[in-house]
């Protein structure tokens, strides 16, 4: 990795709207870049001190050559944004993690018994837990008892890849690596460790994960800066005395590596919609959420918040509006209400006219599965990249996208369209 990249200082702003952070050189030659000083009792500065990313669990890789799809739009706005480029090209590089180096005999086993972002959030928490404890972890994407000898204590039913074909239970396996780089041990590595008898397997429940230090459930609903900016460390990865939000954002960038072909295709699709300058993103979730919680039945709240965002973040000039939704019928609603605004969406490339319903996934073919998740990944990138984002508090998508947004994204760059069930922000 070029040393020049490691010596750069970076201004991070992940505090409450006016908060600031200092970014330190990885060689401790502190040359922080300050933004406008924060003021008031909510100010809370911390030094983000990352000693070295040539740590024992970093894998140094060559940046892959651009694909033909990437070449088509490389000079455009989208292709120069963070999630449309390899993580190693970030201003503060994010090398992949070697998950096989773990000295702790504790072996963490988990399944993905839920929706995509629900379990990406849990995988992130478990990955940070494992890294801090120097343990290995494995994401089980199949069905069945892990070890008959333990009486079925460790069981997996990973519904994300579950499909019912001709009345038979089947699984798309592996599932996550269709779209993302490896997160955790590979199956063969896990089975080898299991067979050795040298590891104590634990299968934490969702509650265990959420209440762990890196789950930080209490911090999801707090406005207390001391909790929000709790100082945490993962020495094995070079993170020492890092505030919670920055650590989680940077760790996510290292762990969540969208496959190059999937990323390039998504970014090309976004670029082809005319996202050639700073834009606003609107997240509309209906589908199965209508059966779980109250939803916004009209687009009026979005329009009101968008008008406010236009004044505060775009100098009164209406930007392109990128709509991420599981219900493509909302596009006509937006266009009817504001015919002079430009609304674009993945709905122009793929239709989910009746809304995404999680329980119907088991009937999808592999082609339908890929079509849905390629659309969804493009939407995640679109929301994470937007200058201003109007999210939905009643979906895990928003909590994942919040941590995908750049280290410099301030909390005044997003707002909920619906009041959270529990007041607070997604930290």
């Amino acid at each position: 990795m070029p040393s020049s990249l490691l010596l750069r200082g970076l201004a991070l702003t992940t505090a409450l709207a006016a908060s600031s952070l200092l970014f330190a050189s990885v060689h401790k030659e502190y040359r922080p870049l300050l933004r406008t000083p924060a003021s008031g009792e909510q100010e809370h500065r911390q030094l983000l001190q990352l000693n070295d990313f040539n740590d024992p669990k970093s894998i140094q890789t060559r940046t892959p050559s651009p694909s033909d799809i990437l070449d088509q739009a490389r000079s455009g706005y989208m292709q120069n944004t963070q999630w449309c480029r390899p993580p190693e090209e970030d201003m503060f590089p994010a090398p992949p993690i070697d998950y096989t180096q773990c000295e702790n005999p504790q072996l963490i086993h988990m399944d993905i018994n839920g929706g995509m972002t629900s379990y990406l959030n849990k995988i992130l928490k478990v990955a940070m837990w494992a890294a801090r404890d120097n343990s290995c972890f494995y994401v089980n994407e199949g069905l069945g008892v892990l070890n008959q000898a333990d009486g079925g204590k460790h069981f997996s039913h990973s519904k994300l890849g579950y499909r019912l074909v001709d009345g038979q239970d089947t699984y798309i396996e592996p599932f996550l690596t269709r779209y993302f780089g490896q997160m955790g041990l590979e199956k063969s590595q896990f089975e080898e460790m299991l067979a050795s008898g040298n590891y104590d397997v634990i299968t934490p429940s969702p509650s265990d994960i959420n209440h762990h230090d890196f789950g930080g459930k209490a911090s999801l609903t707090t406005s207390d800066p001391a909790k929000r900016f709790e100082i945490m460390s993962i020495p094995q990865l070079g993170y020492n005395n890092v505030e919670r939000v920055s650590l989680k954002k940077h760790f996510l960038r290292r762990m969540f590596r969208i496959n190059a072909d999937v990323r390039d295709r998504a970014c090309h699709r976004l670029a082809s919609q005319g996202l050639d300058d700073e834009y606003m993103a609107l997240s509309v979730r209906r589908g199965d959420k209508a059966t779980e919680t109250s939803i916004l039945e009209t687009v009026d709240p979005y329009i009101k918040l968008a008008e406010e965002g236009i004044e505060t973040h775009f100098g009164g000039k209406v930007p392109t509006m990128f709509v991420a939704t599981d219900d493509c019928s909302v596009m006509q609603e937006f266009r009817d209400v504001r015919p002079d605004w430009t609304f674009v969406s993945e709905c122009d490339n793929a239709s989910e006219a009746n809304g995404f319903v999680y329980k119907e996934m088991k009937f999808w073919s592999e082609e339908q599965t890929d079509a849905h998740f390629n659309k969804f990944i493009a939407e995640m990138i679109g929301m994470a990249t937007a200058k201003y984002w109007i999210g939905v508090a009643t979906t895990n998508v928003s909590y994942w996208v919040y941590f995908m947004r750049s280290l410099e994204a301030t909390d005044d760059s997003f707002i909920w369209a619906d009041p959270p069930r529990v007041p607070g922000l997604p930290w």
Side-chain angles (χ1 to χ4, degrees):
M1 184 184 300
S3 60
S4 60
L5 287 175
L6 295 175
L7 293 172
R8 291 181 185 175
L10 175 63
L12 299 182
T13 50
T14 55
L16 299 173
S19 298
S20 297
L21 291 173
L22 306 183
F23 214 105
S25 156
V26 294
H27 291 297
K28 300 184 180 179
E29 296 174 8
Y30 300 147
R31 292 179 293 174
L33 302 175
L34 280 175
R35 289 180 177 271
T36 303
S39 60
E41 61 183 21
Q42 290 184 325
E43 177 181 3
H44 188 87
R45 289 200 182 106
Q46 291 295 342
L47 187 66
L48 179 57
Q49 186 173 337
L50 304 176
N51 289 337
D52 195 344
F53 278 122
N54 292 310
D55 62 77
K57 290 191 177 183
S58 289
I59 303 172
Q60 303 302 323
T61 59
R62 284 182 55 200
T63 301
S65 299
S67 66
D68 290 340
I69 290 177
L70 186 59
D71 281 338
Q72 293 175 23
R74 176 55 95 175
S75 61
Y77 172 79
M78 282 303 303
Q79 291 306 144
N80 287 288
T81 58
Q82 183 183 48
W83 282 97
C84 291
R85 303 180 71 90
E88 291 83 0
E89 294 184 13
D90 287 3
M91 186 177 293
F92 200 89
I97 299 168
D98 182 357
Y99 298 106
T100 65
Q101 298 192 37
C102 40
E103 299 173 1
N104 193 325
Q106 174 180 270
L107 184 54
I108 305 175
H109 163 266
M110 64 179 296
D111 63 10
I112 43 175
N113 190 1
M116 175 69 85
T117 49
S118 171
Y119 266 77
L120 283 174
N121 274 294
K122 290 181 175 63
I123 292 170
L124 174 63
K125 295 168 186 176
V126 167
M128 295 175 74
W129 171 358
R132 190 200 65 175
D133 292 354
N134 213 2
S135 299
C136 282
F137 77 97
Y138 172 64
V139 181
N140 193 334
E141 300 187 69
L143 168 69
V145 174
L146 189 63
N147 185 351
Q148 294 291 347
D150 66 14
K153 184 168 70 172
H154 303 290
F155 182 83
S156 174
H157 183 189
S158 291
K159 293 181 180 178
L160 196 58
Y162 169 66
R163 297 294 180 269
L164 185 63
V165 180
D166 297 328
Q168 299 295 314
D169 292 338
T170 62
Y171 282 80
I172 299 175
E173 187 182 3
F175 187 89
L176 292 174
T177 52
R178 292 173 78 90
Y179 313 106
F180 316 117
Q182 184 68 35
M183 291 179 275
L185 295 170
E186 295 180 6
K187 185 175 183 179
S188 60
Q189 294 168 336
F190 173 73
E191 290 175 342
E192 183 178 342
M193 288 183 175
L194 198 64
S196 74
N198 296 327
Y199 294 88
D200 298 320
V201 180
I202 65 168
T203 302
S205 68
S207 178
D208 293 333
I209 294 169
N210 285 331
H211 284 83
H212 188 270
D213 287 350
F214 288 111
K217 187 168 184 178
S219 68
L220 286 172
T221 58
T222 185
S223 296
D224 178 7
K227 185 65 178 176
R228 168 82 195 280
F229 300 108
E230 182 179 2
I231 301 304
M232 313 187 88
S233 296
I234 307 179
Q236 291 82 358
L237 293 182
Y239 296 109
N240 292 289
N241 301 321
V242 183
E243 61 87 18
R244 176 192 294 270
V245 175
S246 291
L247 192 157
K248 203 167 185 179
K249 282 191 172 191
H250 193 266
F251 192 103
L252 181 150
R253 183 70 171 143
R254 298 183 68 184
M255 182 198 82
F256 183 59
R257 310 179 76 82
I258 302 171
N259 290 343
D261 60 329
V262 176
R263 177 196 70 212
D264 295 349
R265 188 179 302 113
C267 292
H268 178 64
R269 286 163 60 153
L270 291 168
S272 70
Q273 295 179 31
L275 297 180
D276 53 6
D277 201 350
E278 293 178 330
Y279 61 93
M280 186 182 297
L282 317 175
S283 173
V284 182
R285 181 73 196 273
R286 292 182 180 175
D288 55 8
K289 288 298 172 184
T291 66
E292 299 173 13
T293 186
S294 59
I295 61 171
L296 297 173
E297 296 181 352
T298 74
V299 299
D300 293 345
Y302 291 94
I303 296 298
K304 180 178 182 297
L305 292 172
E307 288 175 336
E308 294 173 1
I310 290 167
E311 295 302 320
T312 58
H313 288 74
F314 296 91
K317 181 181 178 181
V318 180
T320 298
M321 304 285 174
F322 174 74
V323 181
T325 182
D326 63 343
D327 183 354
C328 290
S329 67
V330 303
M331 295 305 297
Q332 193 58 50
E333 295 179 45
F334 278 119
R335 288 162 178 159
D336 288 344
V337 173
R338 287 293 182 274
D340 53 335
W341 291 9
T342 299
F343 295 94
V344 300
S345 172
E346 276 297 292
C347 287
D348 298 328
N349 294 316
S351 174
E352 288 182 338
N354 298 318
F356 168 69
V357 180
Y358 172 70
K359 292 181 179 179
E360 293 180 359
M361 282 179 58
K362 65 183 178 182
F363 301 116
W364 289 358
S365 66
E366 290 194 21
E367 291 76 14
Q368 289 171 312
T369 299
D370 286 339
H372 169 79
F373 285 108
N374 280 311
K375 170 183 178 289
F376 183 51
I377 290 164
E379 289 178 332
M380 287 196 291
I381 293 173
M383 288 185 283
T385 303
K387 181 176 183 178
Y388 191 74
W389 167 51
I390 301 174
V392 186
T394 49
T395 171
N396 285 297
V397 175
S398 292
Y399 294 93
W400 183 255
V401 168
Y402 174 85
F403 288 104
M404 282 182 68
R405 287 173 67 77
S406 84
L407 286 163
E408 294 183 288
T410 55
D411 282 340
D412 70 341
S413 69
F414 91 102
I415 193 168
W416 296 132
D418 55 341
R421 286 168 289 183
V422 180
L425 294 171
W427 42 76

